[in-house]
Amino acid sequence: MSDRTRPTLEAIAQQASVSLSTASKVLNGRPGVSTATRQRVEELLRDSGYARRGLDPERGGLVELVVDNLQSEWSVEIIRGVERITRESGFVLALSALGDHHRPHEEWITGVLQRKPVAVILQFSDLTVEHRRQLRTRNIPFVVVDPAGDPPADVPAVGATNWAGGVAATRHLIALGHTKIGVISGPADLMCSRARVAGYQSALAEAGIPIVEEFSAGGAFEQLVGEREGRRLLSLPDRPTAIVAGNDLQALGVYDAAAALGLDVPGDLSVVGFDDVRPALWARPPLTTVRQPLQEMAEEATRMALRLRSGEIDNARLELATSLVVRHSTAAPAA
């Protein structure tokens, strides 16, 4: 579309029967506009295909990162990756935390429209259709890192091979001689959790090992959940001799459960985690885990968003490979 046929903000204001300053307030997320007027202008911005001009942001602009939990090692790795590329590109990192939610709230989108970041990177987050439209209207590209669900085709995303990681973890235990293998999954609403469990089940099926329903547990990606569900699995009359955990924190919780029950890792119980965050290496014994390249995923997501901003690429999807890191928490089952 040529500049002559592109709608201007002045034309949008005329169509909405509002002043140019009112239309500008809506575009920039500023207060002082009624809900009905704001909705009318937003609809015209969307339906007309309006997009803010200016593809070359000044150095020093913001790249906004949205994470779920500032305390988690997972989020720390994502922050490191985004910050590195942001700094190298001459921009500044702005950070938002969602807590236990996987979808940004209305206050967040209002703030983003006011801050006018160069790009937005989201951990897990599921943007609404309206939020996606608002960001595109303002020419603010966004990329999701490790999306919570299966994002629409028009949502750029960077993930990891979670299914393959679940397969690799389970095959490793099977190769050691384990046939009674439990699994603790992450939250059921996260695609990565479901993919890891599906990989675990596929590896069992491949080896001809039946899936035992009572060997399955799940919950949040937290150490306390690993301990709680680990205690339950290890208290079964015919308990698992190995457990695949949804992430490293859950795996460390399984360590706690084993210790409380007088079981040795890996003498009595083998444990495999997922992510390979720093505590996995510090654990005693050091944790066998599936390395998810979190920092690299964040770096690629940031590069992707900046390329989207400059028009170098269209919407894109990327999956980075996971890899098994064998340490000392796995061994052959006791005779």
Side-chain angles (χ1 to χ4, degrees), residues 24-39:
S24 178
K25 285 181 179 179
V26 174
L27 183 66
N28 295 295
R30 294 200 300 269
V33 182
S34 70
T35 300
T37 298
R38 188 178 298 277
Q39 183 175 352

Side-chain angles (χ1 to χ4, degrees), residues 1-9 11-12 15 48-51 53:
M1 182 181 289
S2 69
D3 287 341
R4 291 182 180 179
T5 58
R6 284 175 178 162
T8 64
L9 190 59
I12 297 294
Q15 285 183 273
S48 67
Y50 176 88
R53 270 65 163 182

Side-chain angles (χ1 to χ4, degrees), residues 123-134:
Q123 173 193 348
F124 289 145
S125 303
D126 181 17
L127 291 171
T128 66
V129 172
E130 183 59 26
H131 287 173
R132 297 200 299 271
R133 286 172 177 164
Q134 288 176 296

Side-chain angles (χ1 to χ4, degrees), residues 239-301:
R239 66 169 181 82
T241 60
I243 292 176
V244 176
N247 76 341
D248 292 340
L249 292 181
Q250 287 185 345
L252 297 179
V254 174
Y255 274 32
D256 295 336
L261 295 171
L263 299 175
D264 175 70
V265 176
D268 301 312
L269 175 72
S270 287
V271 183
V272 182
F274 207 110
D275 285 341
D276 196 24
V277 293
R278 297 187 183 197
L281 182 59
W282 302 335
R284 290 295 174 266
L287 179 66
T288 293
T289 186
V290 176
R291 182 178 185 272
Q292 184 173 205
L294 298 173
Q295 189 166 325
E296 292 92 330
M297 289 162 59
E299 291 173 356
E300 289 298 333

Side-chain angles (χ1 to χ4, degrees), residues 27-102:
L27 183 66
N28 295 295
R30 294 200 300 269
V33 182
S34 70
T35 300
T37 298
R38 188 178 298 277
Q39 183 175 352
R40 185 164 72 252
V41 174
E42 285 284 0
E43 288 175 353
L44 287 169
L45 289 170
R46 177 194 68 208
D47 295 341
S48 67
Y50 176 88
R52 175 186 276 143
R53 270 65 163 182
L55 294 178
D56 298 319
E58 294 182 3
R59 293 176 71 83
L62 297 177
V63 171
E64 181 138 350
L65 170 61
V66 183
V67 299
D68 66 336
N69 182 356
L70 291 173
Q71 304 301 317
S72 76
E73 287 289 335
W74 201 104
S75 295
V76 169
E77 290 298 306
I78 297 297
I79 293 168
R80 287 192 180 104
V82 175
E83 192 279 332
R84 177 174 173 267
I85 303 304
T86 297
R87 175 170 37 81
E88 289 180 356
S89 303
F91 303 121
V92 177
L93 178 65
L95 197 58
S96 299
L98 295 180
D100 296 329
H101 307 287
H102 297 317

Side-chain angles (χ1 to χ4, degrees), residues 50-277:
Y50 176 88
R52 175 186 276 143
R53 270 65 163 182
L55 294 178
D56 298 319
E58 294 182 3
R59 293 176 71 83
L62 297 177
V63 171
E64 181 138 350
L65 170 61
V66 183
V67 299
D68 66 336
N69 182 356
L70 291 173
Q71 304 301 317
S72 76
E73 287 289 335
W74 201 104
S75 295
V76 169
E77 290 298 306
I78 297 297
I79 293 168
R80 287 192 180 104
V82 175
E83 192 279 332
R84 177 174 173 267
I85 303 304
T86 297
R87 175 170 37 81
E88 289 180 356
S89 303
F91 303 121
V92 177
L93 178 65
L95 197 58
S96 299
L98 295 180
D100 296 329
H101 307 287
H102 297 317
R103 176 171 289 180
H105 43 68
E106 288 303 318
E107 291 80 3
W108 174 81
I109 193 68
T110 300
V112 167
L113 301 187
Q114 293 172 352
R115 290 188 290 275
K116 304 174 190 172
V118 172
V120 174
I121 314 297
L122 305 109
Q123 173 193 348
F124 289 145
S125 303
D126 181 17
L127 291 171
T128 66
V129 172
E130 183 59 26
H131 287 173
R132 297 200 299 271
R133 286 172 177 164
Q134 288 176 296
L135 291 174
R136 288 182 177 126
T137 298
R138 278 75 177 180
N139 190 31
I140 301 174
F142 55 89
V143 178
V144 180
V145 180
D146 206 4
D150 187 13
D154 64 343
V155 174
V158 177
T161 54
N162 288 289
W163 179 87
V167 169
T170 311
R171 280 179 177 170
H172 169 65
L173 294 169
I174 293 170
L176 289 171
H178 292 277
T179 57
K180 295 188 292 184
I181 304 171
V183 65
I184 301 177
S185 71
D189 63 332
L190 295 184
M191 185 169 61
C192 63
S193 301
R194 300 193 299 273
R196 292 169 194 179
V197 172
Y200 154 86
Q201 293 172 338
S202 294
L204 291 182
E206 177 186 60
I209 300 172
I211 295 172
V212 180
E213 289 299 326
E214 61 183 1
F215 280 3
S216 296
F221 283 135
E222 298 173 357
Q223 189 162 346
L224 288 176
V225 169
E227 180 180 8
R228 181 191 71 212
E229 298 305 310
R231 279 178 178 264
R232 186 180 69 77
L233 293 176
L234 297 175
S235 298
L236 292 171
D238 188 22
R239 66 169 181 82
T241 60
I243 292 176
V244 176
N247 76 341
D248 292 340
L249 292 181
Q250 287 185 345
L252 297 179
V254 174
Y255 274 32
D256 295 336
L261 295 171
L263 299 175
D264 175 70
V265 176
D268 301 312
L269 175 72
S270 287
V271 183
V272 182
F274 207 110
D275 285 341
D276 196 24
V277 293

